[in-house]
Amino acid sequence: FKPDGIFMGGMSKEVSLVSDADERSVTMKMDDMSYFGIWQEYGADTPFICLEPWCAPPTNDGKTREDLSTKKGLFKIEAGDSRTVSYSIIFK
């Protein structure tokens, strides 16, 4: 995942990772999100990867500051309003 991760949009609202070694799997359902990220800290010896639903894609280089009022995918919540988003993770 050098330098950052893999972030995808325009895909299914359900993603599954399955094992060839046994019957285990992880399924993430993300009806309220438009993007999905898979990442791991680069250069670290971590025994896991991160799976995250996102409402907007990251910047191309991961460092550039963007104007959030015009960022693709973000939704605006006015003062006093609220919005609920959800996703589920199923471990088998």
Side-chain angles (χ1 to χ4, degrees):
F1 299 112
K2 183 180 178 182
D4 193 23
I6 299 169
F7 298 90
M8 300 164 277
M11 54 186 284
S12 172
K13 297 293 186 172
E14 183 174 315
V15 176
S16 295
L17 298 177
V18 297
S19 171
D20 288 337
D22 56 38
E23 298 295 317
R24 292 184 289 179
S25 67
V26 176
T27 298
M28 184 172 286
K29 295 181 181 181
M30 49 201 169
D31 291 334
D32 298 326
M33 301 296 193
S34 298
Y35 296 87
F36 182 69
I38 303 173
W39 63 276
Q40 181 181 45
E41 184 178 358
Y42 181 70
D45 187 23
T46 54
F48 58 86
I49 61 171
C50 298
L51 308 173
E52 294 184 17
W54 289 44
C55 64
T59 57
N60 287 336
D61 64 9
K63 298 176 185 173
T64 304
R65 300 191 105 201
E66 292 184 82
D67 179 354
L68 295 181
S69 67
T70 59
K71 183 171 175 66
K72 177 182 176 182
L74 288 185
F75 46 85
K76 186 175 183 178
I77 302 172
E78 299 293 340
D81 287 346
S82 65
R83 180 171 179 168
T84 301
V85 295
S86 64
Y87 63 91
S88 63
I89 304 172
I90 302 162
F91 299 93
K92 289 187 179 178

